[in-house]
Each structure stands twice: as C-alpha cells, then as structure tokens.
Amino acid sequence: MDKSTLARWRALPASAVLQAICDHAKVDPTYRPTKDQTSQRWHVSVATHDYELIVTGPRFWDTRAGHGGGGAIDLVCHLLGCTVVEALRRLAATGM
C-alpha cells in the first residue's frame, strides 16, 4: 500500500466509508449537533450488528461502545472487528 493511498483513506469522510461498507447506513435527520455543526448521527448495520455513530469529517464516535477514532482504516476495523491488514483489503475492494 503506498503512502498516498493511506493518506487518502485517513482523510476520507466517515460518511462515505459508511455508505461503502455497511449493509445499511442512514443519516438521522433529527440530530442536532451541539459542538461542531458539521457532525451527523448515522444508524448503520454491518453483519447483523447495529451501530449509532456520530461522524465529523473523517472522525467517528460509537455512542453505544464509547469508542471513536479517525480515518477509514480505524472505522473499518471498528465496524468489522478486523485487523488493519483486513481493513486495507476491504477498502481496496471498494475502490475508494
């Protein structure tokens, strides 16, 4: 994996990653952010697991697990419960 691809994946908006890897991903139109007005709440489903995520740019926060991170690789690892190598393969397969 070259450095430019890794940098691009780290900068991808989390919302784009959710739409590419989740079985179901829907933004919550009723959510009103309190800190950063660009934040969104997403309800997603991946492999029978449901998540409620707050996303702001490339950063995410899983409200139920109390865990967050930044970048597509972290997000894929979190949602799929996989290693970094598996996350890289999954992202490459999406064409992102």
Side-chain angles (χ1 to χ4, degrees):
M1 200 61 50
D2 62 58
K3 289 181 182 182
S4 65
T5 300
L6 292 174
R8 184 170 41 82
W9 285 343
R10 286 186 190 108
L12 276 175
S15 57
V17 178
L18 294 175
Q19 292 171 330
I21 68 162
C22 293
D23 299 325
H24 172 77
K26 182 179 178 184
V27 69
D28 181 350
T30 65
Y31 177 69
R32 300 294 174 250
T34 57
K35 292 182 182 177
D36 187 328
Q37 294 303 306
T38 64
S39 294
Q40 296 177 311
R41 178 169 45 209
W42 284 76
H43 298 280
V44 301
S45 178
V46 180
T48 71
H49 296 289
D50 295 324
Y51 300 90
E52 180 184 271
L53 303 171
I54 305 297
V55 301
T56 308
R59 308 228 16 106
F60 70 93
W61 179 256
D62 183 334
T63 62
R64 296 174 185 163
H67 175 81
I73 299 166
D74 281 354
L75 182 55
V76 172
C77 286
H78 177 70
L79 294 176
L80 301 180
C82 65
T83 66
V84 170
V85 172
E86 292 168 329
L88 294 174
R89 285 188 189 129
R90 180 69 183 257
L91 285 166
T94 66
M96 296 188 95

